């Protein structure tokens, strides 16, 4: 069993699509074992995305992530990191496969509906950013 950190981004909460995305997650076999709706401050968004701070899109990305509530989640399942990346689809929704969350819901490469950890190591770091062990009920 593996865990990964998922974020439903502000374009999802704005359009009232939290349940629609959760249905896709659960139908894929992943279990939502922790979930929290919150609004990030700019400082928190910059800290969460610090690995991207040299990228041209960093400022716009952090600003977008503060435009509305997000839903942070811990997902559990076999190969959860890789599986969730398949369920999400490619970062750019124009390249995302049919049936993926980003193909179905994303508005643009920035407003691309969901984030998922890219490795088990980052999953542990990102889960600890939002949740304590007490919040996670497997
Ligand atoms: P995410 O998985 O949250 O990780 C970083 C985010 O940066 C990514 O999804 C995109 O929403 C956003 N982003 C914006 N522009 C780009 C870009 N040109 N390349 C990669 N990611 C981008």
């Amino acid at each position: 069993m593996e865990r990964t950190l998922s974020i439903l981004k502000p374009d999802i909460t704005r359009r009232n699509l939290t349940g629609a995305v959760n249905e896709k997650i659960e139908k894929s076999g992943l279990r939502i074992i922790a979930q929290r709706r919150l609004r990030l401050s700019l400082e928190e968004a910059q800290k969460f995305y610090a690995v991207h701070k040299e990228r041209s899109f960093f400022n716009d990305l952090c600003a977008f992530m503060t435009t509305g509530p997000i839903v942070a989640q811990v997902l559990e399942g076999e190969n959860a990191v890789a599986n969730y990346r398949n369920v999400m689809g490619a970062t750019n929704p124009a390249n995302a496969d049919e049936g993926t969350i980003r193909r179905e819901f994303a508005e643009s490469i920035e407003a691309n509906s969901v984030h998922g950890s890219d490795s088990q190591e980052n999953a542990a770091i990102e889960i600890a950013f939002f949740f304590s062990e007490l919040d996670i009920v497997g």
Side-chain angles (χ1 to χ4, degrees):
M1 277 301 162
E2 202 172 278
R3 291 175 176 179
T4 192
L5 189 277
S6 161
I7 298 177
L8 313 193
K9 297 187 180 185
D11 62 289
I12 289 297
T13 57
R14 173 167 45 79
R15 290 176 291 159
N16 210 21
L17 292 171
T18 298
V21 175
N22 280 353
E23 185 177 9
K24 274 201 172 290
I25 290 170
E26 293 187 332
K27 283 207 167 125
S28 79
L30 290 161
R31 302 182 77 85
I32 302 166
I33 61 168
Q35 180 166 260
R36 226 184 115 198
R37 179 173 159 117
L38 68 145
R39 191 148 183 167
L40 287 174
S41 67
L42 186 58
E43 293 70 27
E44 288 165 337
Q46 288 167 340
K47 192 173 168 205
F48 181 79
Y49 278 120
V51 288
H52 295 306
K53 65 175 182 292
E54 308 303 334
R55 309 287 290 272
S56 59
F57 56 80
F58 178 71
N59 286 337
D60 286 346
L61 169 65
C62 293
F64 168 67
M65 292 298 287
T66 68
T67 58
I70 62 164
V71 180
Q73 307 171 314
V74 180
L75 308 183
E76 186 177 75
E78 275 182 38
N79 301 314
V81 169
N83 275 351
Y84 189 46
R85 291 181 77 79
N86 286 332
V87 173
M88 289 192 298
T91 303
N92 186 345
N95 302 327
D97 289 340
E98 198 71 51
T100 61
I101 293 170
R102 284 168 170 160
R103 173 68 169 260
E104 197 156 319
F105 300 117
E107 297 181 316
S108 65
I109 192 167
E110 179 178 278
N112 68 349
S113 300
V114 280
H115 166 83
S117 307
D118 64 3
S119 66
Q120 284 192 63
E121 187 191 0
N122 281 337
I125 294 166
E126 293 180 358
I127 288 169
F129 186 91
F130 288 105
F131 297 97
S132 83
E133 264 310 309
L134 280 176
D135 300 321
I136 303 170
V137 184

